[in-house]
Amino acid sequence: MKRLGFVIIALVAGCTGSIGDPTCEGGECATVVVNDEGPRDCSKNALGPRQLRRLTNEEYDASVFALTGVQSTYGRSFVADPVIHNFDNNARALKMSPLLAEQLREAAEAVAASMTIPPCSSAPRACARELLVRLGRRAFHRPLDESEISDYLGVFDSGAGVDYRTGAALMVATMLQSPFFLYRTELGVRDDSGVYVLTQHELATQLAYTFSGTLPDEALLAKADAAELDSPEALEEEARRLLQTASGRATMVRFVQQWLGLERLASVPKDGVTYPELTPELRQSMLDESRRFIEHVLFTTSGTFADLLTSTTTFLDERLATLHGAAAGQVTLSSRRGGVLMLTGTLATHALANGSSPIHRGILVRTHLLCTELPPPPPGVNANPPTVTPGVSTRERYAQHSADSACRACHALIDPIGFAFEGFDGIGRSRSTDNGAPIDTAAEISAFDGTTVAVADAMDVAQALAGSAQAQACFASQWSIYASGVERGASECVAADLAPNVATLSVQDLMASTVRSSSFVRRSGNGGSAPGPAAPTEEAPQPTEPEQPPPTPTGGVIATVSTNSQWATGGCHDVLVANQGAAASTWMVMLAVPGTITNAWNSSRDRDSGTVTFTGAAWNASLAPGATASFGYCFEL
Amino acid sequence: MSFVRSRREFVLSAGATLVAAPFLQVLNAKSAKAAPTGPSRVVIMFSPNGTIHRHWRPTGNTGTDFGFTPEGILWPLADRRDQVVICDGLSFLNATNHEAGMHCMLTGLGQQSHPSAGMSVDQFLASRLGDGVRFPSLELGVQTSAWGSGTQTRMSYRTVSERTEPDDDPKSVYQRVWGGLVGNAAEVEALIARRTSMLDRIRGDLARLEAWVGSEEKPKLQAHLESLRRVERGLQAPADCEHATPVGLINPQDNDQFPTIGTAQTDLLVAALACGVTRVATLQWSHTVGPPVFSWLGIGDGHHSLSHSDDGNTAGVQDFVDAERWFTQQFVYLLDRLAELPNPDGDGSLLSTTLVVWAKEMGDSRLHDCNAVPFVLAGGGGAFGLGRYLNFGGASHQKLLVSICHAMGLTDVTSFGDPNVSTGPLAGLT
């Protein structure tokens, strides 16, 4: 049930949320720092929702391999997973679609046809039962009950008319499309206080996918069977064990790669004329470099977040060695080059097709390292990338941003960071000149932990980030978003717990400590019976809990107005709408607008001047608890 | 007006009569008699990143007195001037910028409570016209998914919040439509029976799981159930139909294979229509903000970067116009393929019985706005008068979406998208 949240804001005075203040001239950038909206009460409502988490395509491949021994690459050719806040495992967004269901059927049948199924020398149904019980326990992360066994043997029967193998393969293919294989449940059992506590098998499954990207191994299932995952210590011991496995390492590498957007490296378009060296093989070498670097920091040296950002050790294969004019192997390219931001692949991914890009790199740092959300360029602004003129450096070309008032507000936050990375070209090579002009990497970065920081080059940026409380909190936030599959709420509280330890704990220890949080084992929500095989005695169906807490008249929605740009005869405002209530809300914002609106985006309005009522567009009208939407408008005075 | 019948049928008939000329007369007489009854299928093609109007607009005047110049974006349509309607001056009245434009383009930003219920027009048509065919709709893409699935990368919506995912891999498309079932009739029937028993079990598991979850997660299981219904329809025997050839080795992610993938997808789309397995098909080239580098034209910068070239950047504008002209060529290729294959339901070519729409998500790419968003229509089985250049003076493109529904026979549709923004069909189009 959606509730209408009303927010009435009279003409606002002041700066962010502040119009008409002379100090605002030239505008402020309407940024939002994720997970930094002031104190959130994590003592209550800190638990994530009871949820189903569909396997990502990557997890599907890994799980199929673990279950059947068939090396699956089917998942990576499925419909792309949605990417929310850098990660592909967002529980809310991972849904079934008709195309995916078709692709899953094709894949399941192909896997079942190629897997090794032991031939049956006794009664076919007995063999099928043995296979089913063995595979089903792993596929569904729990023992099957008798009624499930009987149901699946029915599937076997409908294929066994052809032969044993056909029946068994049909049964396996069905299992691979079952929701019990495709979704991991975080539903739990309701305790006396109304909170849901995850079952032992759910905990085993959550540990397995979070720390090793695949279904639980035999050791985990055995512990769940014996109810030994019963303390924070026991959970952390398993997390640590999984982190040391090959799949654990690969999963953590992938977390860091996704955080940095490196998944795009293989396909990011590049100009073959400007960069003839950049073959698909070289892209692979860059990915390998990032993998080896991340493994080295996380696992070989048990490094910290700061090491991840500044370690100068890297790993070049022959191709990369040629690109950098360096020796192959474990090397240091320069004392001023290190960390994940200066990996060849990171620099190549965050650049234009035919050059470097201060903007791409500045945005990478602002959004992925400092968790600052930036608004899109306002409509009506000419967003032309500056033209290339011989003898003029990229940095000089982009100087226009700081001259143009409509662009300045946001680009003052972005471009200087990128300028510090101008010592690297569009495929990550070091350079001292650009387009014939000398490189200048000195910059002043504003709004960095609330201050302005002067840097000489990218290594200074990396070191500043390593010591920045905002960057540390952001890293904790990225990890907890990945681990929980939710981008707000519970993940914010986990991040708040982890953030103070980012500077001191090794990255591994930080990750493993996540399981100590009560939100790892508990969920809030309503309805449904206990997950797991049906209990021997029939449980009375639980009544559906009323939605809680009761709605407040305002729906808990707040709106903040900020000046995007302003000039003598008009300006543009951005409005951020945040649902801080506990219920989903359809918002409506009434604002006293100066002058007459000439253009608005991401909203509908009832009039162009005076007190204007804005309502959301189709995609942002309804806000889940904790969600935000932004809209804006330009006006003439 | 050319009229193309299946070549095989033609040769057989001619061989049987041994008199070619009279037969042709009969053929022509038949075509002249076949009164156009409107299109029976629809194809929507999308290409990204807006346009530069002065390079896109035809020369001459609105009406029938217009033309194209070789420097312009639409030049490849010069030979097919009489087969298209160039629609200028259609605007998204409630959306601006890349992302909103992408969402608004085919949905008109409808809400659940609106008559179109937030669906995109292709899915709306599929829901009304999709009965009796194996695929209510087919969505084909060309590199739409490197950034994952999101508002930027999708144009098709089954509900306000559920996007329809395009298939970016021609091999997968081929397999879904033509692959899978081999053997004699009895074997095929037995295989379908086995697969049905598999689907029944999955549905049983979904019901079991549904008892465990709270109200928050029930929609997910509902979506899964709905998806299985589509799978079940796809289980019917594949198209026994000659128009498709198996797809060779293609890397769907490789930038340089963008044209190859696009051609393969166009061929498969047209073949699927010709084989009668669907009536609603979309072809999505990249996505808004899409970065493909048109290396095959010798262009080094990404398409989105180029789309923002201002008039001072003559090289950038030239590259963008060249890239856009290339998309026009792909549209023409689609029309040509549709013209070559016969209408599976009766007389005429596929093109003469198919409404073809080329849509974009923004107007002037440099301004990030959605004013005068370019649309080109073709085919349409007489639903629209062809050979015209029309300017609708800033009318809501939602009226075009209504007109498309009307052309497809759904004359009960009075609005598409948000009815507070616009209702009714586009005056002057028919």
Side-chain angles (χ1 to χ4, degrees):
Chain A
M1 213 54 55
K2 285 167 186 166
R3 299 185 181 89
L4 203 58
F6 279 89
V7 182
I8 302 185
I9 298 181
L11 185 66
V12 196
C15 212
T16 298
S18 66
I19 302 161
D21 181 335
T23 61
C24 276
E25 212 166 319
E28 278 206 3
C29 190
T31 58
V32 180
V33 178
V34 179
N35 293 359
D36 187 27
E37 297 181 317
R40 161 180 280 274
D41 187 357
C42 283
S43 61
K44 37 181 182 177
N45 279 336
L47 301 179
R50 302 180 74 217
Q51 61 185 1
L52 300 174
R53 299 177 68 174
R54 204 203 81 209
L55 301 190
T56 66
N57 294 339
E58 187 90 10
E59 289 167 343
Y60 174 87
D61 278 340
S63 305
V64 164
F65 176 63
L67 188 67
T68 65
V70 175
Q71 197 80 52
S72 165
T73 54
Y74 297 98
R76 78 181 64 152
S77 67
F78 290 167
V79 173
D81 289 326
V83 176
I84 309 269
H85 274 294
N86 310 328
F87 301 107
D88 62 3
N89 68 346
N90 185 281
R92 180 177 47 78
L94 281 169
K95 286 189 266 195
M96 190 54 59
S97 69
L99 176 56
L100 180 60
E102 282 188 63
Q103 292 172 328
L104 283 164
R105 184 187 66 74
E106 295 273 353
E109 291 186 354
V111 168
S114 58
M115 81 178 280
T116 308
I117 296 176
C120 182
S121 54
S122 57
R125 231 168 177 262
C127 293
R129 185 186 173 97
E130 190 280 323
L131 181 72
L132 172 65
V133 169
R134 181 166 57 81
L135 287 182
R137 175 165 176 268
R138 286 207 76 192
F140 297 177
H141 340 109
R142 58 173 174 79
L144 271 55
D145 67 28
E146 274 308 317
S147 80
E148 283 176 308
I149 290 173
S150 142
D151 287 343
Y152 271 84
L153 286 178
V155 177
F156 167 79
D157 290 343
S158 60
V162 182
D163 54 29
Y164 170 73
R165 202 197 141 85
T166 303
L170 186 69
M171 194 173 70
V172 172
T174 308
M175 227 184 277
L176 291 175
Q177 297 171 78
S178 167
F180 295 117
F181 173 70
L182 296 174
Y183 301 89
R184 37 186 180 127
T185 67
E186 293 179 0
L187 298 170
V189 177
R190 195 162 182 267
D191 71 7
D192 294 340
S193 65
V195 162
Y196 290 79
V197 181
L198 300 191
T199 67
Q200 287 285 302
H201 288 96
E202 285 180 324
L203 285 171
T205 308
Q206 191 182 197
L207 281 166
Y209 280 102
T210 305
F211 294 101
S212 65
T214 186
L215 38 74
D217 58 15
E218 186 48 48
L220 261 175
L221 286 176
K223 288 209 166 179
D225 288 348
E228 286 170 6
L229 301 170
D230 59 348
S231 67
E233 293 71 29
L235 292 170
E236 189 165 339
E237 186 190 326
E238 282 303 303
R240 288 178 184 283
R241 178 180 70 81
L242 291 171
L243 281 173
Q244 297 305 326
T245 62
S247 5
R249 289 169 173 237
T251 302
M252 294 309 108
V253 166
R254 196 157 176 273
F255 157 71
V256 176
Q257 288 177 333
Q258 284 202 59
W259 166 44
L260 297 168
L262 279 170
E263 304 252 296
R264 290 187 190 181
L265 175 57
S267 64
V268 65
K270 288 286 174 185
D271 175 21
V273 176
T274 312
Y275 302 119
E277 312 80 350
L278 191 68
T279 58
E281 292 75 25
L282 185 62
R283 290 177 193 242
Q284 189 54 50
S285 296
M286 292 177 179
L287 268 178
D288 288 345
E289 182 199 14
S290 74
R291 175 182 56 75
R292 295 175 69 185
F293 175 84
I294 296 162
E295 281 200 0
H296 176 77
V297 172
L298 262 56
F299 298 104
T300 310
T301 70
S302 289
T304 61
F305 172 64
D307 297 324
L308 205 48
L309 284 172
T310 60
S311 167
T312 55
T313 301
T314 195
F315 300 85
L316 307 180
D317 65 9
E318 291 296 335
R319 275 188 292 265
L320 273 183
T322 306
L323 183 77
H324 290 300
Q330 181 174 342
V331 298
T332 293
L333 283 172
S334 144
S335 63
R336 306 305 296 168
R337 178 168 191 166
V340 286
L341 293 175
M342 281 171 267
L343 287 170
T344 324
T346 309
L347 293 162
T349 304
H350 298 277
L352 290 172
N354 55 2
S356 68
S357 171
I359 297 182
H360 282 72
R361 292 166 182 173
I363 287 177
L364 169 70
V365 170
R366 277 290 169 200
T367 60
H368 297 223
L369 274 294
L370 294 167
C371 290
T372 305
E373 283 182 358
L374 297 160
V381 166
N382 188 336
N384 173 44
T387 47
V388 179
T389 316
V392 177
S393 72
T394 307
R395 177 169 183 162
E396 289 167 309
R397 287 191 286 126
Y398 279 85
Q400 192 202 332
H401 278 142
S402 49
D404 186 327
S405 71
C407 308
R408 185 167 53 213
C410 289
H411 281 277
L413 297 179
I414 300 168
D415 299 7
I417 298 175
F419 292 153
F421 286 84
E422 276 296 280
F424 306 106
D425 72 6
I427 55 171
R429 281 177 299 207
S430 298
R431 62 179 180 184
S432 56
T433 61
D434 170 25
N435 201 20
I439 289 287
D440 174 12
T441 56
E444 294 211 332
I445 305 174
S446 61
F448 190 93
D449 278 351
T451 60
T452 298
V453 178
V455 295
D457 60 10
M459 188 47 113
D460 277 357
V461 176
Q463 279 165 354
L465 288 167
S468 152
Q470 188 178 341
Q472 291 164 5
C474 180
F475 184 67
S477 165
Q478 301 282 344
W479 165 253
S480 57
I481 287 172
Y482 160 81
S484 65
V486 296
E487 68 271 40
R488 318 225 24 125
S491 69
E492 295 174 81
C493 293
V494 174
D497 286 347
L498 295 180
N501 303 327
V502 172
T504 50
L505 288 186
S506 72
V507 176
Q508 262 191 77
D509 287 349
L510 186 79
M511 290 167 163
S513 71
T514 318
V515 303
R516 294 179 161 271
S517 154
S518 74
S519 65
F520 191 81
V521 287
R522 289 142 66 90
R523 296 290 178 275
S524 68
N526 63 71
S529 57
T537 53
E538 203 62 29
E539 277 181 57
Q542 295 210 0
T544 301
E545 294 296 305
E547 283 190 37
Q548 47 172 316
T552 56
T554 64
V557 175
I558 64 155
T560 314
V561 182
S562 57
T563 306
N564 181 312
S565 48
Q566 197 163 349
W567 53 92
T569 57
C572 300
H573 292 162
D574 285 321
V575 185
L576 177 79
V577 187
N579 181 4
Q580 301 195 335
S585 175
T586 299
W587 56 268
M588 177 182 285
V589 175
M590 294 170 73
L591 285 173
V593 171
T596 304
I597 294 180
T598 53
N599 190 5
W601 55 96
N602 297 355
S603 62
S604 307
R605 62 186 185 278
D606 66 337
R607 67 198 60 177
D608 288 337
S609 59
T611 301
V612 179
T613 302
F614 293 90
T615 46
W619 70 94
N620 69 1
S622 175
L623 288 181
T628 61
S630 58
F631 70 92
Y633 53 87
C634 297
F635 57 89
E636 276 175 4
L637 293 172
Chain B
M1 185 78 63
S2 72
F3 187 80
V4 185
R5 285 187 66 93
S6 150
R7 177 164 313 198
R8 185 181 56 176
E9 188 178 343
F10 175 83
V11 172
L12 278 177
S13 308
T17 60
L18 293 171
V19 191
F23 175 75
L24 277 174
Q25 270 174 4
V26 170
L27 227 171
N28 284 332
K30 212 169 157 191
S31 82
K33 262 198 300 190
T37 55
S40 45
R41 54 192 74 79
V42 61
V43 177
I44 300 175
M45 171 178 131
F46 163 80
S47 69
N49 294 327
T51 194
I52 298 177
H53 288 106
R54 71 190 170 82
H55 297 291
W56 177 81
R57 289 194 167 110
T59 55
N61 303 310
T62 55
T64 54
D65 174 25
F66 69 98
F68 304 96
T69 58
E71 299 77 29
I73 288 172
L74 296 182
W75 171 246
L77 288 173
D79 292 347
R80 291 147 185 92
R81 197 187 150 288
D82 296 332
Q83 297 169 28
V84 294
V85 189
I86 312 293
C87 299
D88 200 348
L90 287 171
S91 298
F92 303 174
L93 297 188
N94 53 350
T96 313
N97 223 328
H98 283 286
E99 197 163 289
M102 191 74 187
H103 189 180
C104 184
M105 176 174 70
L106 299 182
T107 65
L109 297 185
Q111 305 264 16
Q112 182 63 45
S113 59
H114 297 152
S116 59
M119 279 186 260
S120 54
V121 71
D122 57 308
Q123 292 305 299
F124 180 80
L125 292 170
S127 73
R128 295 280 299 270
L129 306 172
D131 283 346
V133 287
R134 259 177 83 209
F135 299 93
S137 63
L138 272 181
E139 292 76 26
L140 276 59
V142 187
Q143 294 180 3
T144 69
S145 301
W147 298 2
S149 163
T151 317
Q152 273 188 349
T153 60
R154 299 291 179 254
M155 64 181 191
S156 177
Y157 287 77
R158 284 194 307 286
T159 69
V160 169
S161 60
E162 282 175 305
R163 295 181 282 263
T164 320
E165 307 286 348
D167 195 336
D168 281 358
D169 184 352
K171 243 172 65 193
S172 157
V173 174
Y174 180 83
Q175 182 65 20
R176 285 165 57 213
V177 180
W178 289 278
L181 291 172
V182 278
N184 63 39
E187 286 164 347
V188 165
E189 199 180 316
L191 180 52
I192 291 176
R194 289 201 294 277
R195 284 177 171 160
T196 304
S197 119
M198 176 171 83
L199 287 178
D200 287 345
R201 184 66 257 129
I202 300 168
R203 276 192 279 255
D205 283 2
L206 277 169
R208 186 189 285 257
L209 179 55
E210 195 183 4
W212 300 356
V213 306
S215 54
E216 314 95 331
E217 291 294 61
K218 291 210 195 293
K220 256 184 209 166
L221 298 177
Q222 204 52 48
H224 198 145
L225 210 54
E226 188 60 39
S227 300
L228 290 182
R229 262 180 223 130
R230 295 254 188 144
V231 173
E232 188 161 40
R233 284 173 74 161
L235 287 188
Q236 298 158 37
D240 178 19
C241 178
E242 68 189 76
H243 301 297
T245 45
V247 178
L249 203 59
I250 288 183
N251 173 1
Q253 308 293 335
D254 181 356
N255 179 79
D256 293 348
Q257 294 199 37
F258 193 79
T260 315
I261 299 161
T263 303
Q265 297 284 58
T266 305
D267 290 345
L268 291 169
L269 180 152
V270 173
L273 292 173
C275 291
V277 298
T278 189
R279 294 198 187 96
V280 179
T282 55
L283 177 62
Q284 180 184 332
W285 295 87
S286 187
H287 52 81
T288 198
V289 201
V293 175
F294 283 51
S295 51
W296 52 95
L297 299 183
I299 295 174
D301 215 341
H303 190 259
H304 170 241
S305 296
L306 289 173
S307 77
H308 290 311
S309 308
D310 73 13
D311 289 340
N313 178 358
T314 48
V317 168
Q318 187 59 56
D319 282 350
F320 181 63
V321 169
D322 288 347
E324 288 301 284
R325 194 183 307 109
W326 184 85
F327 276 127
T328 310
Q329 284 168 6
Q330 307 319 302
F331 182 67
V332 167
Y333 179 73
L334 169 66
L335 299 184
D336 286 355
R337 293 290 289 137
L338 286 167
E340 279 167 25
L341 293 182
N343 168 20
D345 305 327
D347 292 336
S349 71
L350 263 185
L351 181 61
S352 71
T353 51
T354 302
L355 173 57
V356 192
V357 181
W358 177 14
K360 294 186 77 86
E361 87 290 29
M362 283 202 303
D364 190 323
S365 48
R366 288 90 56 88
L367 298 178
H368 281 111
D369 73 18
C370 299
N371 298 324
V373 180
F375 284 90
V376 179
L377 311 177
F384 309 135
L386 300 176
R388 292 181 301 158
Y389 168 41
L390 303 174
N391 189 325
F392 296 99
S396 167
H397 86 295
Q398 291 169 231
K399 290 178 183 295
L400 174 63
L401 301 181
V402 173
S403 292
I404 290 170
C405 294
H406 288 187
M408 297 304 296
L410 306 179
T411 48
D412 59 320
V413 174
T414 55
S415 70
F416 205 96
D418 186 345
N420 303 313
V421 174
S422 162
T423 59
L426 200 51
L429 179 59
T430 55

